[in-house]
Structures are given as C-alpha cells and as structure tokens.
mmCIF file with all atom_site columns, all heavy atoms in Angstrom:
data_model
loop_
_atom_site.group_PDB
_atom_site.id
_atom_site.type_symbol
_atom_site.label_atom_id
_atom_site.label_alt_id
_atom_site.label_comp_id
_atom_site.label_asym_id
_atom_site.label_entity_id
_atom_site.label_seq_id
_atom_site.pdbx_PDB_ins_code
_atom_site.Cartn_x
_atom_site.Cartn_y
_atom_site.Cartn_z
_atom_site.occupancy
_atom_site.B_iso_or_equiv
_atom_site.pdbx_formal_charge
_atom_site.auth_seq_id
_atom_site.auth_comp_id
_atom_site.auth_asym_id
_atom_site.auth_atom_id
_atom_site.pdbx_PDB_model_num
ATOM 1   N N   . ALA F 1 1  ? 8.954   -11.403 9.038   1.00 95.00 ? 1  ALA F N   1
ATOM 2   C CA  . ALA F 1 1  ? 10.347  -11.518 9.473   1.00 95.00 ? 1  ALA F CA  1
ATOM 3   C C   . ALA F 1 1  ? 11.153  -10.273 9.101   1.00 95.00 ? 1  ALA F C   1
ATOM 4   O O   . ALA F 1 1  ? 12.131  -9.933  9.782   1.00 95.00 ? 1  ALA F O   1
ATOM 5   C CB  . ALA F 1 1  ? 10.981  -12.757 8.866   1.00 95.00 ? 1  ALA F CB  1
ATOM 6   N N   . LYS F 1 2  ? 10.748  -9.611  8.031   1.00 97.00 ? 2  LYS F N   1
ATOM 7   C CA  . LYS F 1 2  ? 11.491  -8.440  7.542   1.00 97.00 ? 2  LYS F CA  1
ATOM 8   C C   . LYS F 1 2  ? 10.781  -7.120  7.842   1.00 97.00 ? 2  LYS F C   1
ATOM 9   O O   . LYS F 1 2  ? 11.276  -6.054  7.471   1.00 97.00 ? 2  LYS F O   1
ATOM 10  C CB  . LYS F 1 2  ? 11.721  -8.560  6.034   1.00 97.00 ? 2  LYS F CB  1
ATOM 11  C CG  . LYS F 1 2  ? 12.607  -9.732  5.636   1.00 97.00 ? 2  LYS F CG  1
ATOM 12  C CD  . LYS F 1 2  ? 12.826  -9.761  4.140   1.00 97.00 ? 2  LYS F CD  1
ATOM 13  C CE  . LYS F 1 2  ? 13.750  -10.906 3.739   1.00 97.00 ? 2  LYS F CE  1
ATOM 14  N NZ  . LYS F 1 2  ? 13.958  -10.959 2.266   1.00 97.00 ? 2  LYS F NZ  1
ATOM 15  N N   . ASN F 1 3  ? 9.609   -7.191  8.472   1.00 97.00 ? 3  ASN F N   1
ATOM 16  C CA  . ASN F 1 3  ? 8.820   -5.976  8.752   1.00 97.00 ? 3  ASN F CA  1
ATOM 17  C C   . ASN F 1 3  ? 8.511   -5.213  7.466   1.00 97.00 ? 3  ASN F C   1
ATOM 18  O O   . ASN F 1 3  ? 8.650   -3.987  7.417   1.00 97.00 ? 3  ASN F O   1
ATOM 19  C CB  . ASN F 1 3  ? 9.537   -5.074  9.751   1.00 97.00 ? 3  ASN F CB  1
ATOM 20  C CG  . ASN F 1 3  ? 9.533   -5.626  11.161  1.00 97.00 ? 3  ASN F CG  1
ATOM 21  O OD1 . ASN F 1 3  ? 9.145   -6.768  11.383  1.00 97.00 ? 3  ASN F OD1 1
ATOM 22  N ND2 . ASN F 1 3  ? 9.975   -4.836  12.111  1.00 97.00 ? 3  ASN F ND2 1
ATOM 23  N N   . MET F 1 4  ? 8.108   -5.950  6.456   1.00 98.00 ? 4  MET F N   1
ATOM 24  C CA  . MET F 1 4  ? 7.827   -5.352  5.158   1.00 98.00 ? 4  MET F CA  1
ATOM 25  C C   . MET F 1 4  ? 6.414   -5.699  4.711   1.00 98.00 ? 4  MET F C   1
ATOM 26  O O   . MET F 1 4  ? 5.914   -6.803  4.961   1.00 98.00 ? 4  MET F O   1
ATOM 27  C CB  . MET F 1 4  ? 8.800   -5.867  4.096   1.00 98.00 ? 4  MET F CB  1
ATOM 28  C CG  . MET F 1 4  ? 10.245  -5.503  4.324   1.00 98.00 ? 4  MET F CG  1
ATOM 29  S SD  . MET F 1 4  ? 10.571  -3.743  4.030   1.00 98.00 ? 4  MET F SD  1
ATOM 30  C CE  . MET F 1 4  ? 10.241  -3.616  2.275   1.00 98.00 ? 4  MET F CE  1
ATOM 31  N N   . VAL F 1 5  ? 5.799   -4.768  4.001   1.00 98.00 ? 5  VAL F N   1
ATOM 32  C CA  . VAL F 1 5  ? 4.524   -5.021  3.347   1.00 98.00 ? 5  VAL F CA  1
ATOM 33  C C   . VAL F 1 5  ? 4.640   -4.532  1.905   1.00 98.00 ? 5  VAL F C   1
ATOM 34  O O   . VAL F 1 5  ? 5.329   -3.545  1.637   1.00 98.00 ? 5  VAL F O   1
ATOM 35  C CB  . VAL F 1 5  ? 3.349   -4.359  4.095   1.00 98.00 ? 5  VAL F CB  1
ATOM 36  C CG1 . VAL F 1 5  ? 3.489   -2.853  4.151   1.00 98.00 ? 5  VAL F CG1 1
ATOM 37  C CG2 . VAL F 1 5  ? 2.017   -4.756  3.491   1.00 98.00 ? 5  VAL F CG2 1
ATOM 38  N N   . TYR F 1 6  ? 3.982   -5.256  1.006   1.00 98.00 ? 6  TYR F N   1
ATOM 39  C CA  . TYR F 1 6  ? 4.114   -4.980  -0.419  1.00 98.00 ? 6  TYR F CA  1
ATOM 40  C C   . TYR F 1 6  ? 2.731   -4.831  -1.056  1.00 98.00 ? 6  TYR F C   1
ATOM 41  O O   . TYR F 1 6  ? 1.735   -5.377  -0.570  1.00 98.00 ? 6  TYR F O   1
ATOM 42  C CB  . TYR F 1 6  ? 4.852   -6.131  -1.108  1.00 98.00 ? 6  TYR F CB  1
ATOM 43  C CG  . TYR F 1 6  ? 6.173   -6.476  -0.473  1.00 98.00 ? 6  TYR F CG  1
ATOM 44  C CD1 . TYR F 1 6  ? 6.270   -7.520  0.451   1.00 98.00 ? 6  TYR F CD1 1
ATOM 45  C CD2 . TYR F 1 6  ? 7.318   -5.765  -0.788  1.00 98.00 ? 6  TYR F CD2 1
ATOM 46  C CE1 . TYR F 1 6  ? 7.488   -7.837  1.042   1.00 98.00 ? 6  TYR F CE1 1
ATOM 47  C CE2 . TYR F 1 6  ? 8.540   -6.074  -0.195  1.00 98.00 ? 6  TYR F CE2 1
ATOM 48  C CZ  . TYR F 1 6  ? 8.605   -7.114  0.718   1.00 98.00 ? 6  TYR F CZ  1
ATOM 49  O OH  . TYR F 1 6  ? 9.808   -7.415  1.309   1.00 98.00 ? 6  TYR F OH  1
ATOM 50  N N   . LEU F 1 7  ? 2.709   -4.130  -2.161  1.00 98.00 ? 7  LEU F N   1
ATOM 51  C CA  . LEU F 1 7  ? 1.504   -4.041  -2.969  1.00 98.00 ? 7  LEU F CA  1
ATOM 52  C C   . LEU F 1 7  ? 1.923   -4.225  -4.423  1.00 98.00 ? 7  LEU F C   1
ATOM 53  O O   . LEU F 1 7  ? 2.554   -3.348  -5.003  1.00 98.00 ? 7  LEU F O   1
ATOM 54  C CB  . LEU F 1 7  ? 0.793   -2.704  -2.789  1.00 98.00 ? 7  LEU F CB  1
ATOM 55  C CG  . LEU F 1 7  ? -0.546  -2.593  -3.508  1.00 98.00 ? 7  LEU F CG  1
ATOM 56  C CD1 . LEU F 1 7  ? -1.586  -3.509  -2.865  1.00 98.00 ? 7  LEU F CD1 1
ATOM 57  C CD2 . LEU F 1 7  ? -1.049  -1.141  -3.499  1.00 98.00 ? 7  LEU F CD2 1
ATOM 58  N N   . ARG F 1 8  ? 1.564   -5.371  -4.967  1.00 98.00 ? 8  ARG F N   1
ATOM 59  C CA  . ARG F 1 8  ? 1.818   -5.631  -6.370  1.00 98.00 ? 8  ARG F CA  1
ATOM 60  C C   . ARG F 1 8  ? 0.624   -5.145  -7.160  1.00 98.00 ? 8  ARG F C   1
ATOM 61  O O   . ARG F 1 8  ? -0.503  -5.567  -6.924  1.00 98.00 ? 8  ARG F O   1
ATOM 62  C CB  . ARG F 1 8  ? 2.046   -7.128  -6.605  1.00 98.00 ? 8  ARG F CB  1
ATOM 63  C CG  . ARG F 1 8  ? 2.205   -7.515  -8.083  1.00 98.00 ? 8  ARG F CG  1
ATOM 64  C CD  . ARG F 1 8  ? 3.442   -6.945  -8.708  1.00 98.00 ? 8  ARG F CD  1
ATOM 65  N NE  . ARG F 1 8  ? 3.613   -7.378  -10.092 1.00 98.00 ? 8  ARG F NE  1
ATOM 66  C CZ  . ARG F 1 8  ? 4.607   -6.972  -10.885 1.00 98.00 ? 8  ARG F CZ  1
ATOM 67  N NH1 . ARG F 1 8  ? 5.516   -6.098  -10.429 1.00 98.00 ? 8  ARG F NH1 1
ATOM 68  N NH2 . ARG F 1 8  ? 4.678   -7.422  -12.118 1.00 98.00 ? 8  ARG F NH2 1
ATOM 69  N N   . MET F 1 9  ? 0.878   -4.258  -8.118  1.00 98.00 ? 9  MET F N   1
ATOM 70  C CA  . MET F 1 9  ? -0.192  -3.652  -8.902  1.00 98.00 ? 9  MET F CA  1
ATOM 71  C C   . MET F 1 9  ? -0.013  -4.017  -10.366 1.00 98.00 ? 9  MET F C   1
ATOM 72  O O   . MET F 1 9  ? 0.987   -3.630  -10.977 1.00 98.00 ? 9  MET F O   1
ATOM 73  C CB  . MET F 1 9  ? -0.168  -2.136  -8.718  1.00 98.00 ? 9  MET F CB  1
ATOM 74  C CG  . MET F 1 9  ? -0.243  -1.705  -7.256  1.00 98.00 ? 9  MET F CG  1
ATOM 75  S SD  . MET F 1 9  ? -0.327  0.085   -7.051  1.00 98.00 ? 9  MET F SD  1
ATOM 76  C CE  . MET F 1 9  ? 1.307   0.569   -7.624  1.00 98.00 ? 9  MET F CE  1
ATOM 77  N N   . ASN F 1 10 ? -0.954  -4.770  -10.879 1.00 98.00 ? 10 ASN F N   1
ATOM 78  C CA  . ASN F 1 10 ? -0.957  -5.152  -12.291 1.00 98.00 ? 10 ASN F CA  1
ATOM 79  C C   . ASN F 1 10 ? -2.114  -4.477  -13.017 1.00 98.00 ? 10 ASN F C   1
ATOM 80  O O   . ASN F 1 10 ? -3.083  -4.046  -12.381 1.00 98.00 ? 10 ASN F O   1
ATOM 81  C CB  . ASN F 1 10 ? -1.102  -6.677  -12.430 1.00 98.00 ? 10 ASN F CB  1
ATOM 82  C CG  . ASN F 1 10 ? 0.077   -7.436  -11.859 1.00 98.00 ? 10 ASN F CG  1
ATOM 83  O OD1 . ASN F 1 10 ? 1.218   -6.978  -11.925 1.00 98.00 ? 10 ASN F OD1 1
ATOM 84  N ND2 . ASN F 1 10 ? -0.185  -8.600  -11.293 1.00 98.00 ? 10 ASN F ND2 1
ATOM 85  N N   . GLY F 1 11 ? -2.015  -4.424  -14.319 1.00 98.00 ? 11 GLY F N   1
ATOM 86  C CA  . GLY F 1 11 ? -3.101  -3.851  -15.091 1.00 98.00 ? 11 GLY F CA  1
ATOM 87  C C   . GLY F 1 11 ? -3.460  -2.442  -14.673 1.00 98.00 ? 11 GLY F C   1
ATOM 88  O O   . GLY F 1 11 ? -4.634  -2.092  -14.574 1.00 98.00 ? 11 GLY F O   1
ATOM 89  N N   . LEU F 1 12 ? -2.449  -1.626  -14.447 1.00 98.00 ? 12 LEU F N   1
ATOM 90  C CA  . LEU F 1 12 ? -2.698  -0.281  -13.931 1.00 98.00 ? 12 LEU F CA  1
ATOM 91  C C   . LEU F 1 12 ? -3.498  0.560   -14.923 1.00 98.00 ? 12 LEU F C   1
ATOM 92  O O   . LEU F 1 12 ? -3.330  0.451   -16.146 1.00 98.00 ? 12 LEU F O   1
ATOM 93  C CB  . LEU F 1 12 ? -1.377  0.397   -13.584 1.00 98.00 ? 12 LEU F CB  1
ATOM 94  C CG  . LEU F 1 12 ? -0.776  -0.086  -12.254 1.00 98.00 ? 12 LEU F CG  1
ATOM 95  C CD1 . LEU F 1 12 ? 0.705   0.239   -12.186 1.00 98.00 ? 12 LEU F CD1 1
ATOM 96  C CD2 . LEU F 1 12 ? -1.520  0.525   -11.090 1.00 98.00 ? 12 LEU F CD2 1
ATOM 97  N N   . LYS F 1 13 ? -4.355  1.382   -14.349 1.00 98.00 ? 13 LYS F N   1
ATOM 98  C CA  . LYS F 1 13 ? -5.233  2.266   -15.119 1.00 98.00 ? 13 LYS F CA  1
ATOM 99  C C   . LYS F 1 13 ? -4.951  3.710   -14.739 1.00 98.00 ? 13 LYS F C   1
ATOM 100 O O   . LYS F 1 13 ? -4.492  3.969   -13.616 1.00 98.00 ? 13 LYS F O   1
ATOM 101 C CB  . LYS F 1 13 ? -6.696  1.938   -14.822 1.00 98.00 ? 13 LYS F CB  1
ATOM 102 C CG  . LYS F 1 13 ? -7.078  0.491   -15.055 1.00 98.00 ? 13 LYS F CG  1
ATOM 103 C CD  . LYS F 1 13 ? -8.517  0.236   -14.623 1.00 98.00 ? 13 LYS F CD  1
ATOM 104 C CE  . LYS F 1 13 ? -8.925  -1.215  -14.831 1.00 98.00 ? 13 LYS F CE  1
ATOM 105 N NZ  . LYS F 1 13 ? -10.325 -1.467  -14.405 1.00 98.00 ? 13 LYS F NZ  1
ATOM 106 N N   . PRO F 1 14 ? -5.266  4.659   -15.622 1.00 97.00 ? 14 PRO F N   1
ATOM 107 C CA  . PRO F 1 14 ? -5.058  6.070   -15.252 1.00 97.00 ? 14 PRO F CA  1
ATOM 108 C C   . PRO F 1 14 ? -5.768  6.446   -13.956 1.00 97.00 ? 14 PRO F C   1
ATOM 109 O O   . PRO F 1 14 ? -5.248  7.278   -13.195 1.00 97.00 ? 14 PRO F O   1
ATOM 110 C CB  . PRO F 1 14 ? -5.642  6.820   -16.452 1.00 97.00 ? 14 PRO F CB  1
ATOM 111 C CG  . PRO F 1 14 ? -5.418  5.893   -17.595 1.00 97.00 ? 14 PRO F CG  1
ATOM 112 C CD  . PRO F 1 14 ? -5.656  4.516   -17.034 1.00 97.00 ? 14 PRO F CD  1
ATOM 113 N N   . GLU F 1 15 ? -6.899  5.848   -13.684 1.00 97.00 ? 15 GLU F N   1
ATOM 114 C CA  . GLU F 1 15 ? -7.619  6.160   -12.448 1.00 97.00 ? 15 GLU F CA  1
ATOM 115 C C   . GLU F 1 15 ? -6.942  5.612   -11.196 1.00 97.00 ? 15 GLU F C   1
ATOM 116 O O   . GLU F 1 15 ? -7.378  5.903   -10.079 1.00 97.00 ? 15 GLU F O   1
ATOM 117 C CB  . GLU F 1 15 ? -9.070  5.660   -12.517 1.00 97.00 ? 15 GLU F CB  1
ATOM 118 C CG  . GLU F 1 15 ? -9.229  4.202   -12.890 1.00 97.00 ? 15 GLU F CG  1
ATOM 119 C CD  . GLU F 1 15 ? -9.514  4.015   -14.383 1.00 97.00 ? 15 GLU F CD  1
ATOM 120 O OE1 . GLU F 1 15 ? -8.857  4.698   -15.219 1.00 97.00 ? 15 GLU F OE1 1
ATOM 121 O OE2 . GLU F 1 15 ? -10.366 3.169   -14.708 1.00 97.00 ? 15 GLU F OE2 1
ATOM 122 N N   . ASP F 1 16 ? -5.885  4.843   -11.350 1.00 98.00 ? 16 ASP F N   1
ATOM 123 C CA  . ASP F 1 16 ? -5.092  4.403   -10.202 1.00 98.00 ? 16 ASP F CA  1
ATOM 124 C C   . ASP F 1 16 ? -4.063  5.456   -9.794  1.00 98.00 ? 16 ASP F C   1
ATOM 125 O O   . ASP F 1 16 ? -3.386  5.290   -8.768  1.00 98.00 ? 16 ASP F O   1
ATOM 126 C CB  . ASP F 1 16 ? -4.354  3.092   -10.521 1.00 98.00 ? 16 ASP F CB  1
ATOM 127 C CG  . ASP F 1 16 ? -5.283  1.924   -10.738 1.00 98.00 ? 16 ASP F CG  1
ATOM 128 O OD1 . ASP F 1 16 ? -6.255  1.780   -9.969  1.00 98.00 ? 16 ASP F OD1 1
ATOM 129 O OD2 . ASP F 1 16 ? -5.037  1.152   -11.686 1.00 98.00 ? 16 ASP F OD2 1
ATOM 130 N N   . THR F 1 17 ? -3.951  6.525   -10.564 1.00 98.00 ? 17 THR F N   1
ATOM 131 C CA  . THR F 1 17 ? -3.019  7.599   -10.238 1.00 98.00 ? 17 THR F CA  1
ATOM 132 C C   . THR F 1 17 ? -3.380  8.225   -8.898  1.00 98.00 ? 17 THR F C   1
ATOM 133 O O   . THR F 1 17 ? -4.517  8.652   -8.684  1.00 98.00 ? 17 THR F O   1
ATOM 134 C CB  . THR F 1 17 ? -3.030  8.676   -11.337 1.00 98.00 ? 17 THR F CB  1
ATOM 135 O OG1 . THR F 1 17 ? -2.526  8.105   -12.549 1.00 98.00 ? 17 THR F OG1 1
ATOM 136 C CG2 . THR F 1 17 ? -2.181  9.872   -10.944 1.00 98.00 ? 17 THR F CG2 1
ATOM 137 N N   . ALA F 1 18 ? -2.410  8.233   -7.999  1.00 98.00 ? 18 ALA F N   1
ATOM 138 C CA  . ALA F 1 18 ? -2.653  8.740   -6.645  1.00 98.00 ? 18 ALA F CA  1
ATOM 139 C C   . ALA F 1 18 ? -1.351  8.684   -5.855  1.00 98.00 ? 18 ALA F C   1
ATOM 140 O O   . ALA F 1 18 ? -0.363  8.087   -6.307  1.00 98.00 ? 18 ALA F O   1
ATOM 141 C CB  . ALA F 1 18 ? -3.709  7.892   -5.936  1.00 98.00 ? 18 ALA F CB  1
ATOM 142 N N   . VAL F 1 19 ? -1.393  9.286   -4.680  1.00 98.00 ? 19 VAL F N   1
ATOM 143 C CA  . VAL F 1 19 ? -0.344  9.055   -3.692  1.00 98.00 ? 19 VAL F CA  1
ATOM 144 C C   . VAL F 1 19 ? -0.782  7.853   -2.857  1.00 98.00 ? 19 VAL F C   1
ATOM 145 O O   . VAL F 1 19 ? -1.906  7.816   -2.352  1.00 98.00 ? 19 VAL F O   1
ATOM 146 C CB  . VAL F 1 19 ? -0.125  10.276  -2.795  1.00 98.00 ? 19 VAL F CB  1
ATOM 147 C CG1 . VAL F 1 19 ? 0.937   9.972   -1.741  1.00 98.00 ? 19 VAL F CG1 1
ATOM 148 C CG2 . VAL F 1 19 ? 0.282   11.483  -3.629  1.00 98.00 ? 19 VAL F CG2 1
ATOM 149 N N   . TYR F 1 20 ? 0.107   6.881   -2.744  1.00 98.00 ? 20 TYR F N   1
ATOM 150 C CA  . TYR F 1 20 ? -0.184  5.649   -2.013  1.00 98.00 ? 20 TYR F CA  1
ATOM 151 C C   . TYR F 1 20 ? 0.521   5.689   -0.652  1.00 98.00 ? 20 TYR F C   1
ATOM 152 O O   . TYR F 1 20 ? 1.718   5.960   -0.574  1.00 98.00 ? 20 TYR F O   1
ATOM 153 C CB  . TYR F 1 20 ? 0.276   4.443   -2.822  1.00 98.00 ? 20 TYR F CB  1
ATOM 154 C CG  . TYR F 1 20 ? -0.657  4.127   -3.966  1.00 98.00 ? 20 TYR F CG  1
ATOM 155 C CD1 . TYR F 1 20 ? -0.732  4.954   -5.076  1.00 98.00 ? 20 TYR F CD1 1
ATOM 156 C CD2 . TYR F 1 20 ? -1.479  3.004   -3.938  1.00 98.00 ? 20 TYR F CD2 1
ATOM 157 C CE1 . TYR F 1 20 ? -1.604  4.695   -6.120  1.00 98.00 ? 20 TYR F CE1 1
ATOM 158 C CE2 . TYR F 1 20 ? -2.354  2.723   -4.977  1.00 98.00 ? 20 TYR F CE2 1
ATOM 159 C CZ  . TYR F 1 20 ? -2.409  3.572   -6.062  1.00 98.00 ? 20 TYR F CZ  1
ATOM 160 O OH  . TYR F 1 20 ? -3.276  3.300   -7.104  1.00 98.00 ? 20 TYR F OH  1
ATOM 161 N N   . TYR F 1 21 ? -0.261  5.393   0.385   1.00 98.00 ? 21 TYR F N   1
ATOM 162 C CA  . TYR F 1 21 ? 0.233   5.465   1.751   1.00 98.00 ? 21 TYR F CA  1
ATOM 163 C C   . TYR F 1 21 ? 0.203   4.086   2.402   1.00 98.00 ? 21 TYR F C   1
ATOM 164 O O   . TYR F 1 21 ? -0.786  3.343   2.282   1.00 98.00 ? 21 TYR F O   1
ATOM 165 C CB  . TYR F 1 21 ? -0.634  6.393   2.586   1.00 98.00 ? 21 TYR F CB  1
ATOM 166 C CG  . TYR F 1 21 ? -0.655  7.821   2.123   1.00 98.00 ? 21 TYR F CG  1
ATOM 167 C CD1 . TYR F 1 21 ? -1.602  8.273   1.222   1.00 98.00 ? 21 TYR F CD1 1
ATOM 168 C CD2 . TYR F 1 21 ? 0.284   8.741   2.604   1.00 98.00 ? 21 TYR F CD2 1
ATOM 169 C CE1 . TYR F 1 21 ? -1.625  9.588   0.788   1.00 98.00 ? 21 TYR F CE1 1
ATOM 170 C CE2 . TYR F 1 21 ? 0.268   10.073  2.177   1.00 98.00 ? 21 TYR F CE2 1
ATOM 171 C CZ  . TYR F 1 21 ? -0.687  10.480  1.282   1.00 98.00 ? 21 TYR F CZ  1
ATOM 172 O OH  . TYR F 1 21 ? -0.697  11.779  0.861   1.00 98.00 ? 21 TYR F OH  1
ATOM 173 N N   . CYS F 1 22 ? 1.248   3.794   3.109   1.00 98.00 ? 22 CYS F N   1
ATOM 174 C CA  . CYS F 1 22 ? 1.316   2.581   3.916   1.00 98.00 ? 22 CYS F CA  1
ATOM 175 C C   . CYS F 1 22 ? 0.764   2.900   5.308   1.00 98.00 ? 22 CYS F C   1
ATOM 176 O O   . CYS F 1 22 ? 1.016   3.986   5.848   1.00 98.00 ? 22 CYS F O   1
ATOM 177 C CB  . CYS F 1 22 ? 2.772   2.137   4.011   1.00 98.00 ? 22 CYS F CB  1
ATOM 178 S SG  . CYS F 1 22 ? 3.089   0.697   5.049   1.00 98.00 ? 22 CYS F SG  1
ATOM 179 N N   . THR F 1 23 ? 0.017   1.966   5.881   1.00 98.00 ? 23 THR F N   1
ATOM 180 C CA  . THR F 1 23 ? -0.528  2.159   7.220   1.00 98.00 ? 23 THR F CA  1
ATOM 181 C C   . THR F 1 23 ? -0.272  0.933   8.090   1.00 98.00 ? 23 THR F C   1
ATOM 182 O O   . THR F 1 23 ? -0.172  -0.189  7.598   1.00 98.00 ? 23 THR F O   1
ATOM 183 C CB  . THR F 1 23 ? -2.040  2.421   7.196   1.00 98.00 ? 23 THR F CB  1
ATOM 184 O OG1 . THR F 1 23 ? -2.715  1.211   6.814   1.00 98.00 ? 23 THR F OG1 1
ATOM 185 C CG2 . THR F 1 23 ? -2.400  3.527   6.248   1.00 98.00 ? 23 THR F CG2 1
ATOM 186 N N   . ALA F 1 24 ? -0.187  1.206   9.383   1.00 98.00 ? 24 ALA F N   1
ATOM 187 C CA  . ALA F 1 24 ? -0.084  0.143   10.390  1.00 98.00 ? 24 ALA F CA  1
ATOM 188 C C   . ALA F 1 24 ? -1.121  0.451   11.464  1.00 98.00 ? 24 ALA F C   1
ATOM 189 O O   . ALA F 1 24 ? -1.142  1.559   12.013  1.00 98.00 ? 24 ALA F O   1
ATOM 190 C CB  . ALA F 1 24 ? 1.310   0.103   10.987  1.00 98.00 ? 24 ALA F CB  1
ATOM 191 N N   . VAL F 1 25 ? -1.975  -0.514  11.719  1.00 96.00 ? 25 VAL F N   1
ATOM 192 C CA  . VAL F 1 25 ? -3.087  -0.302  12.649  1.00 96.00 ? 25 VAL F CA  1
ATOM 193 C C   . VAL F 1 25 ? -3.115  -1.415  13.690  1.00 96.00 ? 25 VAL F C   1
ATOM 194 O O   . VAL F 1 25 ? -3.019  -2.597  13.346  1.00 96.00 ? 25 VAL F O   1
ATOM 195 C CB  . VAL F 1 25 ? -4.431  -0.267  11.901  1.00 96.00 ? 25 VAL F CB  1
ATOM 196 C CG1 . VAL F 1 25 ? -5.576  -0.068  12.899  1.00 96.00 ? 25 VAL F CG1 1
ATOM 197 C CG2 . VAL F 1 25 ? -4.441  0.832   10.857  1.00 96.00 ? 25 VAL F CG2 1
ATOM 198 N N   . ARG F 1 26 ? -3.262  -0.996  14.936  1.00 93.00 ? 26 ARG F N   1
ATOM 199 C CA  . ARG F 1 26 ? -3.513  -1.933  16.021  1.00 93.00 ? 26 ARG F CA  1
ATOM 200 C C   . ARG F 1 26 ? -4.440  -1.210  16.994  1.00 93.00 ? 26 ARG F C   1
ATOM 201 O O   . ARG F 1 26 ? -4.629  -0.001  16.875  1.00 93.00 ? 26 ARG F O   1
ATOM 202 C CB  . ARG F 1 26 ? -2.211  -2.335  16.712  1.00 93.00 ? 26 ARG F CB  1
ATOM 203 C CG  . ARG F 1 26 ? -1.425  -1.198  17.325  1.00 93.00 ? 26 ARG F CG  1
ATOM 204 C CD  . ARG F 1 26 ? -0.228  -1.708  18.107  1.00 93.00 ? 26 ARG F CD  1
ATOM 205 N NE  . ARG F 1 26 ? 0.613   -0.629  18.580  1.00 93.00 ? 26 ARG F NE  1
ATOM 206 C CZ  . ARG F 1 26 ? 0.362   0.122   19.648  1.00 93.00 ? 26 ARG F CZ  1
ATOM 207 N NH1 . ARG F 1 26 ? -0.739  -0.089  20.345  1.00 93.00 ? 26 ARG F NH1 1
ATOM 208 N NH2 . ARG F 1 26 ? 1.206   1.060   20.016  1.00 93.00 ? 26 ARG F NH2 1
ATOM 209 N N   . PRO F 1 27 ? -5.056  -1.921  17.924  1.00 92.00 ? 27 PRO F N   1
ATOM 210 C CA  . PRO F 1 27 ? -5.974  -1.239  18.842  1.00 92.00 ? 27 PRO F CA  1
ATOM 211 C C   . PRO F 1 27 ? -5.305  -0.053  19.526  1.00 92.00 ? 27 PRO F C   1
ATOM 212 O O   . PRO F 1 27 ? -4.269  -0.186  20.172  1.00 92.00 ? 27 PRO F O   1
ATOM 213 C CB  . PRO F 1 27 ? -6.333  -2.345  19.834  1.00 92.00 ? 27 PRO F CB  1
ATOM 214 C CG  . PRO F 1 27 ? -6.210  -3.602  19.060  1.00 92.00 ? 27 PRO F CG  1
ATOM 215 C CD  . PRO F 1 27 ? -5.043  -3.383  18.126  1.00 92.00 ? 27 PRO F CD  1
ATOM 216 N N   . GLY F 1 28 ? -5.874  1.106   19.344  1.00 91.00 ? 28 GLY F N   1
ATOM 217 C CA  . GLY F 1 28 ? -5.366  2.292   19.993  1.00 91.00 ? 28 GLY F CA  1
ATOM 218 C C   . GLY F 1 28 ? -4.299  3.056   19.243  1.00 91.00 ? 28 GLY F C   1
ATOM 219 O O   . GLY F 1 28 ? -3.830  4.092   19.724  1.00 91.00 ? 28 GLY F O   1
ATOM 220 N N   . ALA F 1 29 ? -3.909  2.593   18.071  1.00 93.00 ? 29 ALA F N   1
ATOM 221 C CA  . ALA F 1 29 ? -2.854  3.290   17.332  1.00 93.00 ? 29 ALA F CA  1
ATOM 222 C C   . ALA F 1 29 ? -3.034  3.092   15.839  1.00 93.00 ? 29 ALA F C   1
ATOM 223 O O   . ALA F 1 29 ? -3.463  2.024   15.385  1.00 93.00 ? 29 ALA F O   1
ATOM 224 C CB  . ALA F 1 29 ? -1.480  2.778   17.763  1.00 93.00 ? 29 ALA F CB  1
ATOM 225 N N   . ASN F 1 30 ? -2.671  4.128   15.101  1.00 95.00 ? 30 ASN F N   1
ATOM 226 C CA  . ASN F 1 30 ? -2.800  4.115   13.651  1.00 95.00 ? 30 ASN F CA  1
ATOM 227 C C   . ASN F 1 30 ? -1.669  4.961   13.091  1.00 95.00 ? 30 ASN F C   1
ATOM 228 O O   . ASN F 1 30 ? -1.584  6.154   13.380  1.00 95.00 ? 30 ASN F O   1
ATOM 229 C CB  . ASN F 1 30 ? -4.162  4.707   13.249  1.00 95.00 ? 30 ASN F CB  1
ATOM 230 C CG  . ASN F 1 30 ? -4.449  4.543   11.772  1.00 95.00 ? 30 ASN F CG  1
ATOM 231 O OD1 . ASN F 1 30 ? -3.602  4.177   10.989  1.00 95.00 ? 30 ASN F OD1 1
ATOM 232 N ND2 . ASN F 1 30 ? -5.688  4.832   11.392  1.00 95.00 ? 30 ASN F ND2 1
#
C-alpha cells in the first residue's frame, strides 16, 4: 500500500559491512 520494502538486520557482524541496494524486478525490467 505504501510502495515500501524494508530490511530488518539484527545481530550485525563486521562482515555485513557493505553498500546495500534496493532492487525491483519484473519480467523484462530490473
């Protein structure tokens, strides 16, 4: 309803360090 997506991250580790990208995929488009 809000066109939102979330990622809840618990127990974070140093190896989770990164740039995080949101994606939207449908047939023929990314």
Side-chain angles (χ1 to χ4, degrees):
K2 296 182 178 179
N3 288 9
M4 296 288 295
V5 61
Y6 307 97
L7 185 69
R8 175 66 177 177
M9 305 184 293
N10 295 326
L12 282 161
K13 305 175 181 180
E15 53 263 43
D16 294 317
T17 295
V19 178
Y20 284 71
Y21 298 91
C22 177
T23 70
V25 179
R26 60 174 174 79
N30 188 349

